[in-house]
Amino acid sequence: RWMFGPIGCDLYAFTCFTATLSNMMTYVAISVYRFLTICHRNDAGIYVQRTSRVSWIICAIWVYSLLWATIPFMGWGSYGLEKFKTSCSVAWTETSSDGKSFVLSLFVFVLFVPVCSMGYMYLKLIKSIKGKISSIPEQSTSTEDTMNIKCGLHGVQVVHDIDSRVIKV
């Protein structure tokens, strides 16, 4: 038995689960933003950078999080005490078919898909940055290269400059 009763347990679990989900989805949104601004900066990167779109993305993150966090209140899955009975969370060990299907759905849509999508985007990001680093001339001082730096090569030129200085030392 939890010290705040079953209603307190449900509210505590709901709050923690919502915050955890929004945090995870924020990481996904950040990886999408980085992917678009670095790998596709001329196309989709500019689209995402507008303040109104960022507001919509933040709202979508919270709606997604609240949707998954309220599902146990609707009867699919449940909240309950954790193993050591010190806090409440999703009933991960529930043996009913509803509980198992909810936990499996959480694994797929809240963990597996976001982690795989972040992994994919960061791998593409690394590949894109490596390609940009290798395409930068050794000692470039032209106006065009300076413009590329200002327009969003982000840290690529900085990394190149550090590499060239280390080689000289």
Side-chain angles (χ1 to χ4, degrees):
R1 190 175 153 244
W2 204 49
M3 62 190 218
F4 296 113
I7 294 173
C9 181
D10 286 348
L11 290 175
Y12 177 82
F14 171 78
T15 304
C16 289
F17 194 50
T18 303
T20 302
L21 290 174
S22 64
N23 188 22
M24 177 74 161
M25 294 307 121
T26 300
Y27 287 137
V28 172
I30 289 169
S31 68
V32 169
Y33 172 78
R34 288 176 177 170
F35 173 75
L36 292 175
T37 55
I38 292 174
C39 296
H40 302 284
R41 74 171 190 259
N42 294 332
D43 308 325
I46 295 168
Y47 178 80
V48 175
Q49 290 176 351
R50 294 211 176 118
T51 306
S52 62
R53 292 190 180 95
V54 172
S55 299
W56 279 106
I57 291 168
I58 292 169
C59 287
I61 288 169
W62 279 98
V63 167
Y64 185 82
S65 302
L66 287 168
L67 174 77
W68 278 103
T70 56
I71 288 175
F73 294 130
M74 297 176 198
W76 187 33
S78 64
Y79 292 121
L81 282 170
E82 290 183 344
K83 183 178 180 179
F84 297 108
K85 301 186 186 314
T86 56
S87 67
C88 296
S89 180
V90 171
W92 300 107
T93 58
E94 191 175 323
T95 57
S96 70
S97 62
D98 282 346
K100 288 179 181 179
S101 65
F102 179 65
V103 170
L104 181 64
S105 297
L106 286 177
F107 174 75
V108 171
F109 296 108
V110 176
L111 181 67
F112 184 74
V113 170
V115 168
C116 287
S117 64
M118 285 189 294
Y120 171 79
M121 285 182 267
Y122 279 119
L123 285 174
K124 291 296 235 180
L125 189 80
I126 290 168
K127 186 177 178 182
S128 174
I129 289 174
K130 281 185 177 182
K132 288 178 183 178
I133 288 174
S134 65
S135 69
I136 295 175
E138 187 60 35
Q139 292 294 329
S140 60
T141 56
S142 70
T143 309
E144 184 181 340
D145 291 330
T146 306
M147 292 297 289
N148 283 338
I149 295 166
K150 290 178 183 175
C151 291
L153 271 179
H154 302 286
V156 174
Q157 183 64 36
V158 173
V159 170
H160 182 265
D161 288 345
I162 291 170
D163 285 345
S164 64
R165 288 180 187 148
V166 169
I167 292 170
K168 288 178 184 177
V169 174

